[in-house]
Amino acid sequence: MAQMIRPMVAGNWKMNGSRASLDELALMSTGFTPALRQKLDIMICPPATLVLAASQRAVGIGIAIGGQDCHANDAGAHTGDLSAGMLFDAGATAVIVGHSERRADHGESDATVGAKAEAARRNALIAIVCVGETRADREAGKTLAVVRRQLKGSIPDHMTSRDLVVAYEPVWAIGTGLTPTAADVADVHAMIRQDLRRIVGKEEAEKVRILYGGSVKPSNAKELMLVPNVNGALVGGASLKALDLLGIVAAYA
Ligand code: PGA
């Protein structure tokens, strides 16, 4: 059951950080005690320019490195884009796809996100597929319908718990300091688990990690991480500094 799933705290650095920021990885590792390492995974997704250097710095320190986006194709004439295979080659083990900032800033559709998730799988990366409603969706009572549509459109049905992580991130909670109530998070995560059974099959669905994201910080992490079917966090702002990230990880101590 969901309680047996190994949690993951993933940090999304977005368009922040330089080589000097990689010193945070060593600090994170210091606070990631053997007892904590037995309980959960930590992943950092730096900007693409830092993936290779971060992967090199992360060797042997127990922190996985991921990308923030990839192209749906493996190679070709796509100026400025990165393929999943390139991220793998640079040492990434996962890639975020369908983050709401990509969906909004780059007009990514569910189909595009699904193709990117498939590219990740094809290239031996875990796809962290993001879904979440806008404030307008929530106010119109459409939260569950929107998230269900995104799940159905963004997750290829042959994905498994080994290559798929789902992140529920209400758009209105990202970077705002606002969070849904624990009860609201529980409702959405239960529905995601339910829909995953239909999409990837019952057995795999029980093992897929479903992260909550949106203004997770040390002060609210424990409450959010204790919600049923919440198997970790996708953290933006609070993942830039080791102390903040470790404060969130401490929810699992
Ligand atoms: P936040 O961002 O933690 O800064 O709200 C979360 C995210 O966008 O993944």
Side-chain angles (χ1 to χ4, degrees), residues 10 12 14 96 99-101 130 169 173-178 213-217 234-239:
N12 172 10
K14 308 191 180 184
I96 298 169
H99 189 281
S100 63
E101 287 151 15
C130 301
E169 299 203 303
I174 294 176
T176 59
L178 304 172
S215 295
V216 179
K217 48 191 181 224
L234 182 55
V235 186
S239 72

Side-chain angles (χ1 to χ4, degrees), residues 110 113-114 117 129 131 150-159 164 166 196 199-200:
D110 293 332
V113 176
V129 178
V131 295
Q150 291 172 329
L151 289 170
K152 191 160 183 269
S154 313
I155 300 176
D157 60 9
H158 53 271
M159 293 196 79
L164 173 68
V166 175
L196 283 173
I199 299 170
V200 300

Side-chain angles (χ1 to χ4, degrees), residues 1-3 5 148 151-152 155-161 164 166 186-210 228-231:
M1 285 308 291
Q3 282 74 6
I5 297 175
R148 297 187 75 177
L151 289 170
K152 191 160 183 269
I155 300 176
D157 60 9
H158 53 271
M159 293 196 79
T160 71
S161 55
L164 173 68
V166 175
D187 283 350
V188 179
H189 278 239
M191 194 257 340
I192 292 173
R193 181 82 58 205
Q194 186 64 36
D195 275 22
L196 283 173
R197 292 186 185 112
R198 268 192 291 275
I199 299 170
V200 300
K202 206 170 174 336
E203 206 173 309
E204 287 305 318
E206 301 306 323
K207 297 185 280 188
V208 172
R209 290 188 268 208
I210 308 175
N229 287 304
V230 171
N231 313 117

